[in-house]
Amino acid sequence: MALPPSAALGTPLPLPTRSPDMLHRLATRRSAPAQALMDPGPSDGDIDTLLTLAARTPDHGKLFPWRFVVLGRQTRADLAERLAVMAVEQGLPGKATAVLAKLTAAPTTVLVISTAAPASKPVWEQELSAGAVCMNLEHAADALGFSSSWITDWYSYDPDALALFGVREGEKVAGFVHIGTVAEPPLERERPDVSALTTTLP
Ligand SMILES: Cc1cc2nc3c(=O)[nH]c(=O)nc-3n(C[C@H](O)[C@H](O)[C@H](O)COP(=O)(O)O)c2cc1C
């Protein structure tokens, strides 16, 4: 699906307009179970679109404190095999191996890496921006008609596993965003009572 032509630096962008379609999607969107994601997945052109949209995310100071690794099926299958060995060697519970099914199922996975480091803006704000990139990526996938799942799991925190994924010293995994198509509609889950979480001041 073609994106509007990108605007030149400093030119005015369209003001927001009411979008029933976007409201409907925001009100009914749900993650897919990662294992349920199947073909069709995004084409190479779709992936370019997804990353272009995900990168249109607020970040304080224009530091762009994140990067993407697009993980195809073969790479994830190979990595899952090595992670399974690592899980046994480290004496991790069986669940650590079982959850690798979430890593390998989807047609496409985008690993979003936070590259936050001490700079002109707080590290916390840079990390928040990486989380927002993941969410924007999910919204973009939804807009292209795909389902998605934002996963971390143990290998996002294990130093040896991080090295396998090419996550460098000082970087962190913001999420593995798995993208594909599901056969069954997702079921609504519990949502918070927003009023209990909200303070409104005059
Ligand atoms: C930062 C982050 C990490 C997550 N890590 C995992 C995970 O390791 N395993 C998992 O099954 N789901 C993980 N999830 C997904 C959630 O458990 C759940 O699928 C999601 O929040 C559902 O939200 P939704 O119903 O609004 O789409 C993670 C979500 C976020 C935001």
Side-chain angles (χ1 to χ4, degrees):
M1 193 179 294
L3 287 177
S6 54
L9 194 65
T11 54
L13 294 166
L15 288 170
T17 52
R18 287 182 76 86
S19 168
D21 193 40
M22 189 169 175
L23 276 177
H24 181 263
R25 290 309 302 154
L26 288 171
T28 58
R29 61 148 299 281
R30 260 233 74 189
S31 299
Q35 300 95 312
L37 289 164
M38 56 176 97
D39 287 315
S43 65
D44 289 349
D46 289 338
I47 293 171
D48 283 347
T49 298
L50 292 171
L51 300 184
T52 300
L53 294 175
R56 290 186 69 87
T57 288
D59 85 89
H60 193 177
K62 296 189 274 291
L63 299 171
F64 311 121
W66 15 263
R67 63 185 182 94
F68 303 111
V69 182
V70 180
L71 295 163
R73 271 200 168 109
Q74 187 59 55
T75 300
R76 278 176 287 134
D78 293 346
L79 288 172
E81 274 185 31
R82 298 173 71 180
L83 291 169
V85 172
M86 195 181 282
V88 172
E89 282 172 356
Q90 294 190 13
L92 299 180
K95 186 170 180 252
T97 308
V99 295
L100 296 175
K102 295 189 219 169
L103 179 64
T104 52
T108 296
T109 298
V110 180
L111 167 56
V112 181
I113 298 174
S114 164
T115 59
S120 56
K121 305 301 174 218
V123 166
W124 165 237
E125 297 185 7
Q126 297 176 49
E127 292 177 341
L128 286 174
S129 180
V133 166
C134 293
M135 193 67 247
N136 240 3
L137 183 54
E138 292 214 310
H139 286 316
D142 189 302
L144 285 187
F146 296 110
S147 297
S148 62
S149 179
W150 175 357
I151 296 287
T152 46
D153 272 329
W154 64 272
Y155 43 81
S156 294
Y157 299 97
D158 182 289
D160 294 335
L162 289 174
L164 279 186
F165 287 104
V167 178
R168 300 175 192 132
E169 192 72 28
E171 294 183 332
K172 289 183 186 167
V173 168
F176 290 82
V177 179
H178 303 292
I179 301 167
T181 302
V182 289
E184 302 289 334
L187 302 178
E188 178 58 316
R189 70 167 171 99
E190 189 184 359
R191 299 291 171 184
D193 171 5
V194 176
S195 65
L197 304 173
T198 308
T199 304
T200 304
L201 303 173

